[in-house]
Structures are given as structure tokens and as C-alpha cells.
Amino acid sequence: MKQNRYMPDFMINANNVYRTKHYIVKQQVTIVVSNNNESYLISNDTYYIRTARRDFEYNCIFNKRHSIDGKRLPSSTYTRKYCN
């Protein structure tokens, strides 16, 4: 029988997750190679408003991090999307 496991919205398809004062941010990072064979990173960022529940989930997942808030992975280009 298949188990159903809950996954917080900020973890689905995330390459990196970090936290700011007001948001939990999911980064979805992609390597793109241009026609000139130059490569660069694109980050599609989703900003989730911090709530008590999201903070609890975040703390449970990342409680072993040296710096619990984490940090952003640098990229050459990024997009932002805001969620409630």
C-alpha cells in the first residue's frame, strides 16, 4: 500500500529554500546553455508569506542547518512570484 506523505508547498520541486524576515523563499534553479555554448543559471523564486504553520514546517525540516535561515543561491537571472 502506498503511503501518503505531506510535503509543504515551499518544498515541492525546490532546489533551495531559505527564509527572510517576511517570507520563506523556494528557489527552482535551472542551468541554461545558450546557442554560443555559454551557460548560466536562472532561478524561478516563489515567495511564501511566513505563517506560524509554515515556520513550524520550515523549522522541522531545517532544524539541523548551521544557519537555520539558509541563504540564496546566486543566479544570473531570476523571476519572482508571491503566494499567500
Side-chain angles (χ1 to χ4, degrees):
M1 179 180 274
K2 190 175 185 180
Q3 277 187 327
N4 290 330
R5 294 189 181 202
Y6 172 77
M7 183 170 302
D9 47 6
F10 59 82
M11 291 299 296
I12 298 171
N13 297 320
N15 298 107
N16 182 45
V17 178
Y18 65 97
R19 184 163 64 176
T20 68
K21 184 176 180 180
H22 299 289
Y23 296 97
I24 293 175
V25 184
K26 170 174 69 175
Q27 278 189 281
Q28 295 173 285
V29 180
T30 306
I31 298 172
V32 176
V33 179
S34 70
N35 292 336
N36 300 333
N37 287 327
E38 295 177 3
S39 58
Y40 54 96
L41 293 176
I42 294 179
S43 180
N44 294 309
D45 303 347
T46 305
Y47 285 69
Y48 296 92
I49 294 174
R50 285 178 67 170
T51 63
R53 179 182 177 134
R54 282 194 183 118
D55 272 346
F56 175 78
E57 294 167 339
Y58 184 96
N59 288 333
C60 288
I61 293 167
F62 297 111
N63 65 349
K64 295 191 193 290
R65 269 187 176 172
H66 183 265
S67 174
I68 188 115
D69 289 331
K71 63 181 186 176
R72 176 175 176 70
L73 294 174
S75 62
S76 7
T77 305
Y78 67 91
T79 62
R80 284 187 183 194
K81 179 171 79 171
Y82 290 88
C83 294
N84 291 333

Coordinates of all heavy atoms in Angstrom, one line a residue:
M1 N 0.8 -1.2 0.0 CA 0.0 0.0 0.0 C 0.9 1.2 0.0 O 1.9 1.3 0.7 CB -0.9 0.0 1.2 CG -1.8 1.2 1.3 SD -2.9 1.2 2.7 CE -4.2 0.2 2.1
K2 N 0.5 2.2 -0.8 CA 1.3 3.5 -0.9 C 1.0 4.4 0.2 O -0.2 4.6 0.5 CB 0.9 4.1 -2.3 CG 1.8 5.2 -2.7 CD 1.5 5.7 -4.1 CE 2.4 6.8 -4.5 NZ 2.1 7.3 -5.8
Q3 N 2.0 5.0 0.8 CA 1.9 5.9 1.9 C 1.7 7.3 1.3 O 2.4 7.7 0.4 CB 3.1 5.9 2.8 CG 3.0 4.9 3.9 CD 4.2 5.1 4.8 OE1 5.2 5.6 4.5 NE2 4.0 4.7 6.1
N4 N 0.8 8.1 1.9 CA 0.7 9.5 1.5 C 1.5 10.3 2.5 O 1.3 10.2 3.7 CB -0.8 9.9 1.6 CG -1.6 9.3 0.5 OD1 -1.1 9.0 -0.6 ND2 -2.9 9.1 0.7
R5 N 2.4 11.1 2.0 CA 3.2 11.9 2.8 C 3.0 13.4 2.5 O 3.0 13.8 1.3 CB 4.7 11.6 2.6 CG 5.0 10.2 3.1 CD 6.5 10.0 3.1 NE 6.8 8.7 3.5 CZ 7.9 8.3 4.0 NH1 8.9 9.1 4.1 NH2 8.1 7.1 4.4
Y6 N 2.8 14.2 3.5 CA 2.5 15.6 3.3 C 3.8 16.3 3.0 O 4.9 16.0 3.7 CB 1.9 16.2 4.6 CG 1.8 17.7 4.5 CD1 0.8 18.3 3.8 CD2 2.7 18.4 5.2 CE1 0.7 19.7 3.7 CE2 2.6 19.8 5.2 CZ 1.7 20.4 4.4 OH 1.6 21.8 4.4
M7 N 3.8 17.2 2.1 CA 5.0 18.0 1.8 C 4.6 19.5 1.7 O 3.6 19.8 1.0 CB 5.7 17.6 0.5 CG 6.9 18.4 0.2 SD 7.9 17.9 -1.2 CE 8.3 16.2 -0.7
P8 N 5.2 20.3 2.5 CA 4.9 21.7 2.5 C 5.0 22.3 1.1 O 5.9 21.9 0.3 CB 5.9 22.4 3.4 CG 6.4 21.3 4.3 CD 6.3 20.0 3.4
D9 N 4.2 23.3 0.8 CA 4.2 23.9 -0.5 C 5.6 24.5 -0.9 O 6.0 24.4 -2.1 CB 3.1 25.0 -0.6 CG 3.1 26.0 0.5 OD1 4.0 25.9 1.4 OD2 2.2 26.8 0.6
F10 N 6.3 25.0 0.0 CA 7.6 25.6 -0.3 C 8.7 24.6 -0.6 O 9.8 24.9 -1.0 CB 8.0 26.6 0.8 CG 8.2 25.9 2.2 CD1 9.3 25.2 2.6 CD2 7.2 26.1 3.1 CE1 9.4 24.7 3.8 CE2 7.3 25.5 4.4 CZ 8.4 24.8 4.7
M11 N 8.4 23.3 -0.4 CA 9.4 22.3 -0.6 C 9.2 21.6 -2.0 O 10.1 20.9 -2.5 CB 9.3 21.2 0.5 CG 9.9 21.7 1.8 SD 11.6 22.2 1.8 CE 12.4 20.7 1.4
I12 N 8.0 21.7 -2.6 CA 7.7 21.0 -3.8 C 8.6 21.5 -5.0 O 8.5 22.7 -5.3 CB 6.2 21.1 -4.1 CG1 5.4 20.4 -3.0 CG2 5.9 20.5 -5.5 CD1 3.9 20.6 -3.1
N13 N 9.3 20.7 -5.6 CA 10.2 21.0 -6.7 C 11.3 22.1 -6.4 O 11.7 22.8 -7.3 CB 9.4 21.4 -7.9 CG 8.5 20.3 -8.4 OD1 8.9 19.1 -8.4 ND2 7.3 20.7 -8.8
A14 N 11.7 22.2 -5.1 CA 12.6 23.2 -4.7 C 14.1 22.6 -4.8 O 14.3 21.5 -4.5 CB 12.4 23.6 -3.3
N15 N 15.0 23.5 -5.3 CA 16.4 23.2 -5.3 C 17.0 23.8 -4.1 O 18.0 23.3 -3.6 CB 17.1 23.8 -6.5 CG 16.6 23.2 -7.8 OD1 16.0 23.9 -8.5 ND2 17.0 21.9 -8.1
N16 N 16.5 24.9 -3.6 CA 17.0 25.6 -2.4 C 15.8 26.3 -1.7 O 14.9 26.8 -2.4 CB 18.0 26.6 -2.8 CG 18.6 27.3 -1.6 OD1 19.0 26.7 -0.6 ND2 18.8 28.6 -1.7
V17 N 15.8 26.3 -0.4 CA 14.8 27.0 0.4 C 15.5 27.8 1.4 O 16.4 27.3 2.1 CB 13.8 26.1 1.0 CG1 12.8 26.8 1.8 CG2 13.1 25.2 -0.1
Y18 N 15.1 29.1 1.6 CA 15.7 29.9 2.6 C 14.6 30.8 3.2 O 13.5 30.9 2.6 CB 16.9 30.7 2.1 CG 16.6 31.8 1.0 CD1 16.4 33.1 1.4 CD2 16.5 31.4 -0.3 CE1 16.1 34.0 0.4 CE2 16.3 32.3 -1.3 CZ 16.0 33.6 -0.9 OH 15.8 34.6 -1.9
R19 N 14.9 31.6 4.3 CA 13.9 32.3 4.9 C 14.4 33.8 5.1 O 15.6 34.0 5.5 CB 13.6 31.7 6.3 CG 12.6 32.2 7.1 CD 12.1 31.3 8.2 NE 13.1 31.0 9.1 CZ 13.0 30.2 10.2 NH1 11.8 29.7 10.4 NH2 13.9 30.0 11.1
T20 N 13.5 34.7 4.9 CA 13.8 36.1 5.2 C 12.9 36.6 6.3 O 12.1 35.8 6.8 CB 13.5 37.0 3.9 OG1 12.1 37.0 3.6 CG2 14.3 36.5 2.7
K21 N 12.9 37.9 6.6 CA 12.1 38.4 7.7 C 10.6 38.1 7.5 O 9.8 37.8 8.4 CB 12.3 39.9 7.9 CG 11.6 40.5 9.1 CD 12.0 41.9 9.2 CE 11.3 42.5 10.4 NZ 11.6 43.9 10.6
H22 N 10.1 38.2 6.3 CA 8.7 38.1 6.0 C 8.3 36.9 5.1 O 7.1 36.6 4.9 CB 8.1 39.4 5.3 CG 8.3 40.6 6.2 ND1 7.6 40.8 7.3 CD2 9.2 41.6 6.1 CE1 8.0 42.0 7.9 NE2 9.0 42.5 7.2
Y23 N 9.3 36.3 4.5 CA 8.9 35.2 3.5 C 9.8 34.0 3.7 O 10.9 34.0 4.2 CB 9.2 35.7 2.1 CG 8.3 36.9 1.7 CD1 8.8 38.2 1.8 CD2 7.0 36.6 1.2 CE1 7.9 39.2 1.4 CE2 6.2 37.7 0.8 CZ 6.6 39.0 0.9 OH 5.8 40.0 0.6
I24 N 9.2 32.8 3.3 CA 10.0 31.6 3.0 C 10.1 31.5 1.5 O 9.1 31.6 0.8 CB 9.3 30.4 3.6 CG1 9.3 30.5 5.1 CG2 10.0 29.1 3.1 CD1 8.6 29.4 5.8
V25 N 11.3 31.4 1.0 CA 11.6 31.5 -0.5 C 12.0 30.2 -1.0 O 12.9 29.6 -0.5 CB 12.6 32.6 -0.8 CG1 12.8 32.7 -2.3 CG2 12.3 33.9 -0.1
K26 N 11.3 29.7 -2.0 CA 11.7 28.5 -2.8 C 12.4 28.9 -4.0 O 11.9 29.7 -4.8 CB 10.4 27.7 -3.1 CG 10.7 26.5 -4.1 CD 9.4 25.7 -4.3 CE 8.4 26.3 -5.1 NZ 7.2 25.4 -5.4
Q27 N 13.6 28.4 -4.2 CA 14.3 28.6 -5.5 C 14.2 27.3 -6.3 O 14.5 26.2 -5.8 CB 15.8 28.9 -5.2 CG 16.1 30.3 -4.9 CD 17.6 30.5 -4.8 OE1 18.2 30.2 -3.9 NE2 18.1 31.1 -5.9
Q28 N 13.9 27.5 -7.6 CA 14.0 26.4 -8.6 C 15.0 26.9 -9.6 O 14.7 27.8 -10.4 CB 12.6 26.2 -9.2 CG 11.6 25.7 -8.2 CD 10.2 25.7 -8.8 OE1 9.5 26.7 -9.0 NE2 9.7 24.5 -9.2
V29 N 16.2 26.3 -9.5 CA 17.3 26.7 -10.3 C 17.5 25.8 -11.5 O 17.4 24.6 -11.4 CB 18.6 26.7 -9.4 CG1 19.8 27.2 -10.2 CG2 18.4 27.6 -8.2
T30 N 17.7 26.5 -12.7 CA 17.9 25.7 -13.9 C 19.2 26.2 -14.6 O 19.5 27.4 -14.6 CB 16.8 26.0 -14.9 OG1 15.5 25.7 -14.2 CG2 16.9 25.2 -16.1
I31 N 20.0 25.3 -15.1 CA 21.2 25.6 -15.9 C 20.7 25.7 -17.4 O 20.1 24.8 -17.9 CB 22.3 24.6 -15.8 CG1 22.8 24.5 -14.3 CG2 23.5 24.9 -16.7 CD1 23.7 23.4 -14.1
V32 N 21.0 26.9 -18.0 CA 20.7 27.1 -19.4 C 22.0 27.2 -20.2 O 22.9 27.9 -19.8 CB 19.8 28.3 -19.5 CG1 19.5 28.6 -21.0 CG2 18.5 28.2 -18.7
V33 N 22.0 26.6 -21.4 CA 23.1 26.7 -22.3 C 22.7 27.5 -23.5 O 21.7 27.0 -24.2 CB 23.7 25.4 -22.7 CG1 24.9 25.5 -23.6 CG2 24.2 24.6 -21.4
S34 N 23.3 28.6 -23.8 CA 22.9 29.4 -25.0 C 23.4 28.8 -26.3 O 24.2 27.8 -26.3 CB 23.4 30.8 -24.8 OG 24.8 30.8 -25.0
N35 N 23.0 29.4 -27.4 CA 23.5 28.9 -28.7 C 25.0 29.1 -28.9 O 25.6 28.4 -29.7 CB 22.8 29.7 -29.8 CG 21.3 29.4 -29.9 OD1 20.9 28.3 -29.5 ND2 20.5 30.3 -30.4
N36 N 25.6 30.0 -28.1 CA 27.1 30.2 -28.1 C 27.8 29.3 -27.1 O 29.0 29.5 -26.8 CB 27.4 31.7 -27.7 CG 26.7 32.6 -28.7 OD1 26.5 32.3 -29.9 ND2 26.5 33.8 -28.2
N37 N 27.1 28.3 -26.6 CA 27.6 27.4 -25.6 C 28.1 28.1 -24.3 O 28.9 27.6 -23.6 CB 28.8 26.5 -26.2 CG 28.3 25.5 -27.1 OD1 27.2 25.0 -26.9 ND2 29.0 25.2 -28.1
E38 N 27.4 29.2 -24.0 CA 27.6 29.8 -22.7 C 26.5 29.3 -21.8 O 25.4 29.3 -22.1 CB 27.6 31.3 -22.8 CG 28.7 31.9 -23.7 CD 28.6 33.4 -23.9 OE1 27.7 34.0 -23.3 OE2 29.5 33.9 -24.6
S39 N 26.9 29.0 -20.5 CA 25.9 28.5 -19.6 C 25.7 29.6 -18.5 O 26.6 30.4 -18.2 CB 26.4 27.2 -19.0 OG 27.6 27.4 -18.4
Y40 N 24.5 29.6 -18.0 CA 24.1 30.5 -16.9 C 23.0 29.9 -16.1 O 22.3 29.0 -16.6 CB 23.8 31.9 -17.4 CG 22.7 31.9 -18.5 CD1 21.4 32.2 -18.2 CD2 23.0 31.8 -19.9 CE1 20.4 32.2 -19.2 CE2 22.0 31.8 -20.8 CZ 20.7 32.0 -20.5 OH 19.8 32.1 -21.5
L41 N 22.8 30.4 -14.9 CA 21.7 29.9 -14.0 C 20.5 30.8 -14.0 O 20.7 32.1 -14.0 CB 22.3 29.8 -12.6 CG 23.4 28.8 -12.3 CD1 23.8 28.9 -10.9 CD2 22.8 27.4 -12.6
I42 N 19.4 30.3 -14.1 CA 18.1 31.0 -13.9 C 17.4 30.5 -12.7 O 17.3 29.3 -12.5 CB 17.2 30.8 -15.2 CG1 17.8 31.4 -16.4 CG2 15.8 31.4 -14.9 CD1 17.0 31.2 -17.6
S43 N 16.9 31.4 -11.9 CA 16.2 31.0 -10.6 C 14.8 31.5 -10.7 O 14.5 32.7 -10.9 CB 16.9 31.6 -9.4 OG 16.2 31.2 -8.3
N44 N 13.9 30.6 -10.6 CA 12.4 30.9 -10.5 C 12.1 30.9 -9.0 O 12.0 29.8 -8.4 CB 11.6 29.9 -11.3 CG 11.8 30.1 -12.8 OD1 11.8 31.2 -13.3 ND2 12.1 29.0 -13.4
D45 N 11.9 32.0 -8.4 CA 11.7 32.1 -7.0 C 10.2 32.3 -6.7 O 9.5 33.1 -7.3 CB 12.5 33.3 -6.4 CG 14.0 33.3 -6.7 OD1 14.4 32.2 -7.1 OD2 14.6 34.3 -6.6
T46 N 9.8 31.6 -5.7 CA 8.4 31.7 -5.2 C 8.5 32.2 -3.7 O 9.2 31.5 -2.9 CB 7.6 30.4 -5.3 OG1 7.7 30.0 -6.6 CG2 6.2 30.6 -4.9
Y47 N 7.9 33.3 -3.4 CA 7.9 33.9 -2.1 C 6.6 33.5 -1.3 O 5.5 33.9 -1.8 CB 8.1 35.4 -2.1 CG 9.5 35.8 -2.5 CD1 10.0 35.6 -3.8 CD2 10.3 36.5 -1.5 CE1 11.3 36.0 -4.1 CE2 11.6 36.9 -1.9 CZ 12.1 36.6 -3.1 OH 13.3 37.0 -3.4
Y48 N 6.7 32.8 -0.3 CA 5.5 32.4 0.5 C 5.5 33.2 1.8 O 6.5 33.3 2.5 CB 5.6 30.9 0.9 CG 5.5 30.0 -0.3 CD1 6.7 29.6 -0.9 CD2 4.3 29.5 -0.8 CE1 6.6 28.7 -2.0 CE2 4.3 28.7 -1.8 CZ 5.4 28.3 -2.4 OH 5.4 27.4 -3.5
I49 N 4.4 33.9 2.1 CA 4.3 34.7 3.3 C 4.5 33.8 4.5 O 4.0 32.7 4.6 CB 2.9 35.4 3.4 CG1 2.8 36.4 2.3 CG2 2.7 36.0 4.8 CD1 1.5 37.0 2.2
R50 N 5.3 34.2 5.5 CA 5.6 33.4 6.7 C 4.3 33.4 7.5 O 3.8 34.4 7.8 CB 6.8 34.0 7.5 CG 8.1 33.7 6.8 CD 9.2 34.3 7.6 NE 9.4 33.6 8.9 CZ 10.5 33.8 9.6 NH1 11.5 34.6 9.2 NH2 10.6 33.2 10.8
T51 N 3.9 32.2 7.9 CA 2.8 32.0 8.8 C 3.4 31.1 10.0 O 4.5 30.5 9.8 CB 1.6 31.3 8.1 OG1 2.1 30.0 7.7 CG2 1.1 32.1 7.0
A52 N 2.6 30.9 11.0 CA 3.0 30.1 12.1 C 3.2 28.6 11.6 O 4.2 27.9 12.0 CB 2.0 30.1 13.3
R53 N 2.3 28.2 10.8 CA 2.4 26.8 10.3 C 3.6 26.6 9.4 O 4.3 25.6 9.5 CB 1.1 26.4 9.5 CG 1.2 25.0 9.0 CD 0.0 24.6 8.2 NE 0.1 23.3 7.6 CZ -0.8 22.4 7.6 NH1 -2.0 22.6 8.2 NH2 -0.6 21.2 7.1
R54 N 3.8 27.5 8.5 CA 5.0 27.4 7.6 C 6.3 27.5 8.4 O 7.2 26.8 8.1 CB 5.0 28.5 6.5 CG 4.0 28.2 5.4 CD 4.3 29.0 4.2 NE 3.3 28.7 3.1 CZ 2.4 29.6 2.7 NH1 2.4 30.9 3.1 NH2 1.5 29.3 1.7
D55 N 6.3 28.4 9.4 CA 7.5 28.5 10.2 C 7.8 27.2 11.0 O 8.9 26.7 11.1 CB 7.5 29.6 11.2 CG 8.0 30.9 10.6 OD1 8.6 30.9 9.5 OD2 7.7 32.0 11.2
F56 N 6.7 26.6 11.5 CA 6.9 25.3 12.1 C 7.4 24.2 11.2 O 8.3 23.5 11.5 CB 5.5 24.8 12.7 CG 5.5 23.5 13.3 CD1 6.1 23.3 14.6 CD2 5.0 22.4 12.6 CE1 6.2 22.0 15.2 CE2 5.1 21.1 13.2 CZ 5.6 20.9 14.5
E57 N 6.8 24.1 10.0 CA 7.3 23.1 9.0 C 8.7 23.4 8.6 O 9.5 22.5 8.5 CB 6.4 23.2 7.8 CG 4.9 22.8 8.0 CD 4.0 23.1 6.9 OE1 4.3 24.0 6.1 OE2 2.9 22.5 6.8
Y58 N 9.0 24.6 8.4 CA 10.4 25.0 8.0 C 11.4 24.6 9.1 O 12.4 24.0 8.8 CB 10.5 26.5 7.8 CG 11.8 27.0 7.3 CD1 12.1 27.2 5.9 CD2 12.8 27.3 8.2 CE1 13.3 27.7 5.5 CE2 14.1 27.8 7.7 CZ 14.3 28.0 6.4 OH 15.5 28.4 5.9
N59 N 11.0 24.9 10.3 CA 11.9 24.6 11.5 C 12.1 23.1 11.6 O 13.2 22.6 11.9 CB 11.4 25.2 12.8 CG 11.5 26.7 12.8 OD1 12.4 27.2 12.2 ND2 10.7 27.4 13.5
C60 N 11.0 22.3 11.4 CA 11.1 20.9 11.4 C 12.1 20.3 10.4 O 12.9 19.4 10.6 CB 9.8 20.2 11.3 SG 8.7 20.4 12.8
I61 N 12.0 20.9 9.2 CA 12.8 20.4 8.0 C 14.2 20.8 8.2 O 15.1 20.0 7.9 CB 12.2 20.9 6.7 CG1 10.8 20.2 6.5 CG2 13.1 20.6 5.5 CD1 10.0 20.9 5.4
F62 N 14.5 22.0 8.5 CA 15.8 22.6 8.5 C 16.5 22.8 9.9 O 17.4 23.5 10.1 CB 15.8 23.9 7.8 CG 15.4 23.8 6.3 CD1 14.2 24.3 5.9 CD2 16.3 23.1 5.4 CE1 13.9 24.1 4.5 CE2 15.9 22.9 4.1 CZ 14.7 23.5 3.6
N63 N 16.0 22.0 10.9 CA 16.5 22.2 12.3 C 17.9 21.9 12.4 O 18.6 22.3 13.4 CB 15.6 21.5 13.3 CG 15.7 20.0 13.1 OD1 16.2 19.5 12.1 ND2 15.1 19.2 14.0
K64 N 18.5 21.1 11.5 CA 19.9 20.7 11.6 C 20.9 21.6 10.9 O 22.1 21.4 10.9 CB 20.1 19.3 11.2 CG 19.4 18.3 12.1 CD 19.8 16.9 11.8 CE 19.0 15.9 12.4 NZ 19.0 15.6 13.8
R65 N 20.3 22.6 10.2 CA 21.2 23.6 9.5 C 22.0 24.4 10.5 O 21.5 24.8 11.5 CB 20.3 24.6 8.7 CG 20.0 24.2 7.3 CD 19.3 25.4 6.6 NE 19.0 25.0 5.2 CZ 18.3 25.8 4.4 NH1 17.8 26.9 4.9 NH2 18.1 25.4 3.2
H66 N 23.2 24.7 10.1 CA 24.1 25.5 10.9 C 23.5 26.9 11.1 O 23.4 27.5 12.1 CB 25.5 25.6 10.3 CG 26.4 26.4 11.1 ND1 26.7 27.7 10.9 CD2 27.2 26.0 12.2 CE1 27.5 28.2 11.8 NE2 27.9 27.1 12.6
S67 N 23.0 27.5 9.9 CA 22.3 28.7 9.9 C 20.9 28.4 9.5 O 20.6 28.2 8.3 CB 23.0 29.7 9.0 OG 22.2 30.9 8.9
I68 N 19.9 28.4 10.4 CA 18.6 27.9 10.1 C 17.9 28.7 9.0 O 17.1 28.1 8.2 CB 17.7 27.9 11.3 CG1 16.4 27.2 11.0 CG2 17.4 29.3 11.9 CD1 16.1 25.9 11.8
D69 N 18.2 30.0 8.8 CA 17.5 30.7 7.7 C 18.0 30.4 6.4 O 17.4 30.7 5.4 CB 17.6 32.2 8.0 CG 16.7 32.6 9.2 OD1 15.7 32.0 9.5 OD2 17.1 33.6 9.9
G70 N 19.2 29.8 6.3 CA 19.7 29.5 4.9 C 20.1 30.7 4.2 O 20.2 31.8 4.7
K71 N 20.4 30.5 2.9 CA 20.8 31.7 2.1 C 20.5 31.4 0.6 O 20.3 30.3 0.2 CB 22.2 32.1 2.3 CG 23.2 31.1 1.8 CD 24.6 31.7 2.1 CE 25.7 30.8 1.6 NZ 27.0 31.3 1.7
R72 N 20.4 32.4 -0.1 CA 20.0 32.4 -1.5 C 21.2 31.9 -2.4 O 22.3 32.2 -2.1 CB 19.6 33.8 -2.0 CG 19.3 33.9 -3.4 CD 18.9 35.3 -3.8 NE 18.7 35.4 -5.2 CZ 17.7 34.8 -5.9 NH1 16.8 34.1 -5.2 NH2 17.6 34.9 -7.2
L73 N 20.9 31.0 -3.3 CA 21.9 30.6 -4.3 C 22.0 31.7 -5.4 O 20.9 32.1 -5.9 CB 21.5 29.3 -5.0 CG 21.5 28.1 -4.1 CD1 21.0 26.9 -4.8 CD2 22.9 27.8 -3.5
P74 N 23.2 32.2 -5.7 CA 23.3 33.3 -6.7 C 22.9 32.7 -8.1 O 23.2 31.6 -8.4 CB 24.7 33.7 -6.6 CG 25.4 32.7 -5.8 CD 24.4 31.9 -5.1
S75 N 22.3 33.6 -8.9 CA 22.0 33.2 -10.3 C 22.1 34.5 -11.1 O 22.1 35.6 -10.6 CB 20.6 32.7 -10.3 OG 19.6 33.7 -9.9
S76 N 22.3 34.3 -12.4 CA 22.4 35.4 -13.3 C 21.1 36.1 -13.6 O 21.0 37.3 -13.8 CB 23.0 35.0 -14.7 OG 23.2 33.7 -14.9
T77 N 20.0 35.3 -13.6 CA 18.7 35.9 -13.9 C 17.7 35.2 -12.9 O 17.9 34.1 -12.5 CB 18.2 35.6 -15.3 OG1 19.3 36.1 -16.2 CG2 16.9 36.2 -15.7
Y78 N 16.6 36.0 -12.6 CA 15.6 35.4 -11.7 C 14.2 35.9 -12.0 O 14.1 37.0 -12.5 CB 16.0 35.5 -10.2 CG 15.9 36.9 -9.7 CD1 14.7 37.5 -9.2 CD2 17.0 37.8 -9.8 CE1 14.7 38.8 -8.7 CE2 17.0 39.1 -9.4 CZ 15.8 39.6 -8.8 OH 15.8 40.9 -8.4
T79 N 13.2 35.2 -11.6 CA 11.9 35.7 -11.7 C 11.3 35.5 -10.3 O 11.8 34.7 -9.5 CB 11.0 34.9 -12.6 OG1 10.9 33.5 -12.2 CG2 11.5 34.9 -14.1
R80 N 10.3 36.3 -9.9 CA 9.7 36.2 -8.6 C 8.2 36.0 -8.8 O 7.5 36.6 -9.6 CB 9.9 37.5 -7.8 CG 11.2 37.7 -7.3 CD 11.2 39.0 -6.4 NE 12.6 39.2 -5.9 CZ 12.8 40.0 -4.9 NH1 11.9 40.7 -4.3 NH2 14.1 40.2 -4.5
K81 N 7.7 35.2 -7.9 CA 6.2 35.0 -7.8 C 5.9 35.0 -6.3 O 6.6 34.4 -5.5 CB 5.8 33.7 -8.4 CG 4.3 33.4 -8.3 CD 4.0 32.2 -9.1 CE 4.3 30.9 -8.4 NZ 3.8 29.7 -9.1
Y82 N 4.8 35.7 -5.9 CA 4.4 35.8 -4.5 C 3.1 35.0 -4.3 O 2.2 35.1 -5.1 CB 4.2 37.3 -4.1 CG 5.5 38.1 -4.1 CD1 5.9 38.7 -5.2 CD2 6.2 38.2 -2.9 CE1 7.1 39.4 -5.2 CE2 7.4 38.9 -2.9 CZ 7.8 39.5 -4.0 OH 9.0 40.2 -4.0
C83 N 3.1 34.3 -3.2 CA 1.9 33.5 -2.8 C 1.5 33.8 -1.4 O 2.3 34.3 -0.6 CB 2.3 32.0 -2.9 SG 2.6 31.4 -4.5
N84 N 0.3 33.5 -1.1 CA -0.2 33.8 0.3 C 0.3 32.7 1.2 O 0.5 31.7 1.1 CB -1.7 33.8 0.3 CG -2.2 35.1 -0.4 OD1 -1.5 36.1 -0.4 ND2 -3.4 35.0 -0.9

